[in-house]
Amino acid sequence: MLPDLIRIGAAAPGFYQAFPWLAIISMVSYFLGSIPFGIIFSKLFNLGNLTEIGSGNIGATNVLRTGNKLAALLTLVLDGLKGFVSVYLVYEFFGLTAAQFSGVFVFIGHLLPIFNRFKGGKGVATFFGIIAALNLWLFLCCACTWLVIAFLFKRSSLSSLVASFTSLCFTYPLGIQHNIWLLIPLVIGIFVSHRTNIVRLVKGSEPKIGK
């Protein structure tokens, strides 16, 4: 899939020509993903040390536990935009393969941010931003899945796990199965980041949405 990598070039590059571009794109995407918007907004709104609140996570859900809905909303939107902007811009200038690399590394940056000692969020908002840039229909299918599961079971973590997993299933009917290799590590990352939630779901102790 490398022939689409560098659209600004006159000829399609080989792997060794493309590798430096992939390395640069991956690094920049990782640093973008590492921006800890949850911590930034918790400081701007004087919400205290986010790592000592609730689950200690830096994502929008934990920001919401501070009681500040605006800070939580801003965190959610900008964590999603990290994924969307990174993948969309790289796709426009460098092609699909580069955009897929960008998606993986911006996601890793969010999970393991260098700017917060590699302690990041759970990746759901960034995941949705990435798939929105890849394919709008995939985004809508996964978003609807999240809403349905949330309505039925009232567990945000379960909704995120199911929605991310079903993204793999939606690729074939949508004709975008070439993105499967990108989605697999994203789904694995979400399941790993939700490992404590999975344990609580099995035990029946996972709190409901709003509690």
Side-chain angles (χ1 to χ4, degrees):
M1 296 181 65
L2 288 174
D4 70 346
L5 178 59
I6 302 179
R7 294 180 176 179
I8 58 177
F15 177 77
Y16 293 106
Q17 291 172 285
F19 182 79
W21 285 96
L22 288 176
I24 293 170
I25 288 167
S26 299
M27 182 176 65
V28 172
S29 298
Y30 171 78
F31 281 109
L32 176 62
S34 290
I35 300 174
F37 286 112
I39 291 178
I40 290 172
F41 287 117
S42 66
K43 290 183 178 180
L44 288 176
F45 286 86
N46 295 315
L47 303 178
N49 187 347
L50 193 59
T51 61
E52 297 176 356
I53 297 171
S55 64
N57 192 267
I58 66 170
T61 300
N62 204 42
V63 175
L64 185 60
R65 293 191 178 102
T66 66
N68 193 310
K69 294 180 180 179
L70 177 58
L73 177 61
L74 290 171
T75 301
L76 177 69
V77 170
L78 289 177
D79 279 347
L81 280 176
K82 288 192 299 189
F84 180 85
V85 170
S86 178
V87 174
Y88 182 81
L89 290 180
V90 171
Y91 178 78
E92 286 297 311
F93 287 98
F94 299 99
L96 177 61
T97 302
Q100 292 171 332
F101 273 84
S102 176
V104 170
F105 279 90
V106 73
F107 186 75
I108 292 174
H110 181 76
L111 295 184
L112 301 169
I114 193 171
F115 302 128
N116 192 45
R117 300 179 181 178
F118 304 104
K119 297 178 181 179
K122 296 191 175 182
V124 179
T126 304
F127 168 81
F128 273 102
I130 291 169
I131 64 173
L134 287 176
N135 186 276
L136 181 59
W137 287 110
L138 178 61
F139 168 78
L140 292 174
C141 288
C142 292
C144 288
T145 300
W146 194 99
L147 291 172
V148 169
I149 299 300
F151 176 79
L152 293 175
F153 298 99
K154 305 295 188 299
R155 262 74 175 186
S156 176
S157 58
L158 180 61
S159 301
S160 300
L161 292 166
V162 174
S164 65
F165 182 78
T166 54
S167 69
L168 303 174
C169 305
F170 288 131
T171 56
Y172 286 91
L174 291 173
I176 55 170
Q177 57 269 27
H178 50 277
N179 285 310
I180 196 79
W181 84 266
L182 163 61
L183 294 173
I184 288 174
L186 301 189
V187 172
I188 291 173
I190 285 180
F191 271 72
V192 171
S193 68
H194 282 78
R195 58 192 180 277
T196 56
N197 302 87
I198 294 173
V199 172
R200 289 195 296 269
L201 285 168
V202 172
K203 292 181 178 179
S205 59
E206 180 74 347
K208 292 185 178 181
I209 295 173
K211 294 186 178 181

